[in-house]
Amino acid sequence: MALVKNQTEVTNSTIGENSYFNGKFFINGSLKIDGKFEGKSLQAEHLYIGVTGKVKTNITAASVIVEGIVVGNVTARNRVMLLPTSKILGDIKTPELIIQNGVILEGRCMISNDLKHSAKDLIELEYSKDSLSVEKIFGKQPNTKE
């Protein structure tokens, strides 16, 4: 992950602690939010929401690290990391989810490498592949009372 949490971190763009941004934000690179962002959508390659960061929108990114507050759904192609001070109200879709102790989260989580299909469909399809049954293993069973 390109984002690190120190003074020498490299980000393409920053919404500072005393800044407010409203609208759509699309960035081919990394974005750090220490201020407030509200809008219709937020797309970045790597997104870091700092302790003072507040985001109210749906997020799409390769990777997301949250220490602040997110109100909206998060979709990440690689990973979502929720650090102890993070508060999330929304659904998360990602192949890898890391939740540290202290996180507050209300929403549904879908953890799968295939984010285009529902996890339920993928699991049910995988479960039905072998088609094992009592009859296949032991042959036809006589009627028994249970």
Side-chain angles (χ1 to χ4, degrees):
M1 183 168 304
L3 295 173
V4 293
K5 300 186 317 173
N6 62 38
Q7 296 294 10
T8 61
E9 79 180 351
V10 178
T11 58
N12 295 93
S13 299
T14 301
I15 297 175
E17 190 170 338
N18 294 315
S19 300
Y20 173 83
F21 188 91
N22 186 330
K24 292 181 182 179
F25 203 94
F26 300 91
I27 182 168
N28 187 14
S30 59
L31 172 63
K32 180 180 180 186
I33 299 176
D34 288 323
K36 193 171 193 178
F37 178 93
E38 294 179 342
K40 295 184 182 207
S41 64
L42 172 59
Q43 293 184 16
E45 191 64 24
H46 302 285
L47 177 62
Y48 171 64
I49 301 169
V51 175
T52 58
K54 295 179 180 181
V55 174
K56 189 173 187 178
T57 190
N58 292 324
I59 296 169
T60 303
S63 60
V64 179
I65 298 173
V66 181
E67 283 190 291
I69 299 171
V70 174
V71 177
N73 299 328
V74 178
T75 302
R77 292 185 305 280
N78 298 330
R79 165 185 311 134
V80 173
M81 179 182 283
L82 304 179
L83 298 176
T85 55
S86 63
K87 296 165 184 62
I88 312 293
L89 178 59
D91 298 342
I92 298 173
K93 290 183 181 182
T94 185
E96 181 180 354
L97 177 60
I98 301 165
I99 303 176
Q100 295 185 348
N101 190 26
V103 169
I104 297 173
L105 167 64
E106 184 173 328
R108 294 176 296 169
C109 298
M110 182 178 135
I111 302 168
S112 173
N113 287 328
D114 183 353
L115 299 177
K116 294 180 181 169
H117 299 92
S118 81
K120 177 183 181 246
D121 292 343
L122 294 170
I123 293 167
E124 287 177 344
L125 178 66
E126 193 66 29
Y127 183 83
S128 66
K129 278 186 179 178
D130 63 17
S131 66
L132 284 177
S133 66
V134 172
E135 289 80 20
K136 284 190 174 187
I137 295 171
F138 297 107
K140 185 168 174 126
Q141 296 291 310
N143 289 340
T144 58
K145 292 186 178 182
E146 296 185 36

